[in-house]
Amino acid sequence: MGVNLRRARLAGAAAFATAGLLLSACAPTPAAAPPPTPRVTHSAEPTPSSTPTPVPVVQTAPLRGTVVEDAAALGPALSAKIDNHPDARPQWGLEHTDIVFEELVEGGITRYVAVWHSDVPDEIGPVRSIRPMDPDIIAPFGGIAAYSGGQERFVAMMQDTDVHNAIHGGADDRFMYRATSHTAPHNVVVEARELRAEYATIAPPPVQFLFAPRGHAPIFGAAAGGIDVRFSTVSARSWRWDAGSAAYLRSQDGRADLDAAGAQLRATNVVVLQVAIDWSYGIVPRTVMVDSGDAWVSTGGSVIRGRWSKQSQTSPIALTNAAGGEIRLAPGNTWVELVPTSGSISVTG
């Protein structure tokens, strides 16, 4: 550590003595001998570096509840409207999401609102157009929303939030391109890291769901092998608990749902919300998000029956059990299935 150096120099004084009687005006008095210079001693400890090695700062990822280094807990959330048409699969980046919402759109098929924050890949997509329920889903996260346009009234609704809108064909088009591996309109890709870096000063998202303490799975609920949901006659989804990987594996219409690398998509938590549908926009269904209803929360190989509620556009979704207590998720990624009341939900043994 620090080395204490003591340096002392004592100047020898040339003293001239005068006696009561002057013996000689030129007779000098001999100078006193100077004291010895002190020896400098050094500690056995090494001298510290002028630039100490920084200690990584760890925080909790607000959308996952997992421990991450500081950089992964900062910066804005990036939400995107992701295509789920068969021609859009496999999508780019879904395996890196913090939260994914699956919603009903025209023709009985589904699309996603996917949210990245703690693990943002180079590219995400394909992005598609905005829908009337998306502002209510995305607004609580703040940050950035990437999509390919949409009906003017729906775009205006999204732009009326405090979220930065990155629209294909707009000012942020330099961060988007069409991939050749998919056919249009299922091929608009977002350069996610570059887009997010452009708006790095936007605040990170607030916590959305409550999580169990790290290293502890939620302890309530009944053991269950998974959950099946149906959005319409043409959109059936299944999740199965895999104890080996401590995750739920996803299937669509009886087939494993794969990411771009060929691995089956998975989630630590699967939250199913039974929702009302507003048909006031003609053939475009609007999932009613500022509302409440029944909920099924699958986590850790168990399912918890409860209720969900959302008080306003900007408020997060609250999950409560039968006793009115808060339901906590296991730390990790979450998929939220917004299943219409006209659909079906079935817990498997």
Side-chain angles (χ1 to χ4, degrees):
M1 307 309 291
V3 177
N4 294 321
L5 301 178
R6 295 186 308 153
R7 297 180 178 177
R9 292 184 180 274
L10 299 177
F16 292 89
T18 57
L21 297 174
L22 293 175
L23 300 177
S24 171
C26 300
T29 301
T37 301
R39 173 181 292 180
V40 178
T41 59
H42 295 271
S43 167
E45 298 179 7
T47 302
S49 168
S50 59
T51 305
T53 302
V55 178
V57 177
V58 295
Q59 295 190 31
T60 300
L63 305 184
R64 286 193 181 211
T66 52
V67 174
V68 293
E69 289 193 8
D70 186 68
L74 302 176
L78 172 57
S79 302
K81 192 61 183 287
I82 301 297
D83 199 350
N84 192 33
H85 188 279
D87 292 343
R89 305 172 194 157
Q91 296 91 344
W92 296 277
L94 284 180
E95 67 274 22
H96 296 277
T97 51
D98 288 38
I99 302 175
V100 177
F101 296 84
E102 186 171 16
E103 62 187 24
L104 181 70
V105 293
E106 306 92 291
I109 64 173
T110 66
R111 286 185 184 172
Y112 305 132
V113 171
V115 186
W116 290 264
H117 181 250
S118 63
D119 181 15
V120 180
D122 288 333
E123 298 177 333
I124 61 173
V127 295
R128 292 300 300 275
S129 53
I130 208 74
R131 289 296 182 273
M133 56 280 200
D134 297 335
D136 291 343
I137 296 174
I138 297 173
F141 298 95
I144 308 162
Y147 55 100
S148 64
Q151 291 188 29
E152 184 177 347
R153 54 183 173 171
F154 302 153
V155 172
M157 291 164 63
M158 191 66 239
Q159 291 179 322
D160 197 38
T161 68
D162 289 333
V163 177
H164 174 78
N165 286 236
I167 306 173
H168 181 48
D172 293 309
D173 203 42
R174 65 190 184 281
F175 301 112
M176 304 181 190
Y177 71 93
R178 289 193 181 272
T180 57
S181 58
H182 292 47
T183 58
H186 315 287
N187 63 348
V188 178
V189 179
V190 178
E191 295 174 330
R193 289 187 182 176
E194 293 186 17
L195 173 61
R196 190 167 176 260
E198 181 74 7
Y199 301 100
T201 58
I202 297 178
V207 172
Q208 298 296 304
F209 296 113
L210 298 178
F211 293 94
R214 294 190 291 270
H216 297 81
I219 60 175
F220 300 106
I227 193 164
D228 298 331
V229 301
R230 183 176 288 276
F231 287 80
S232 70
T233 57
V234 297
S235 294
R237 312 288 181 253
S238 297
W239 293 91
R240 291 295 179 268
W241 173 247
D242 179 52
S245 61
Y248 291 90
L249 305 181
R250 176 178 166 85
S251 296
Q252 294 203 81
D253 305 316
R255 295 183 296 275
D257 192 11
L258 306 180
D259 63 24
Q264 193 167 5
L265 289 169
R266 61 192 59 218
T268 303
N269 309 286
V270 179
V271 177
V272 178
L273 309 183
Q274 194 168 54
V275 297
I277 300 295
D278 169 17
W279 291 100
S280 63
Y281 293 99
I283 65 170
V284 180
R286 182 181 74 91
T287 301
V288 180
M289 293 301 302
V290 182
D291 201 359
S292 62
D294 291 330
W296 291 256
V297 179
S298 295
T299 186
S302 296
V303 63
I304 306 167
R305 285 292 304 270
R307 297 280 295 174
W308 71 273
S309 63
K310 180 173 163 61
Q311 300 300 317
S312 68
Q313 182 180 77
T314 56
S315 64
I317 295 167
L319 300 171
T320 54
N321 58 28
E326 299 167 330
I327 296 177
R328 292 180 176 268
L329 307 183
N333 71 316
T334 301
W335 279 62
V336 182
E337 304 283 13
L338 302 172
V339 181
T341 52
S342 58
S344 64
I345 300 163
S346 177
V347 176
T348 64

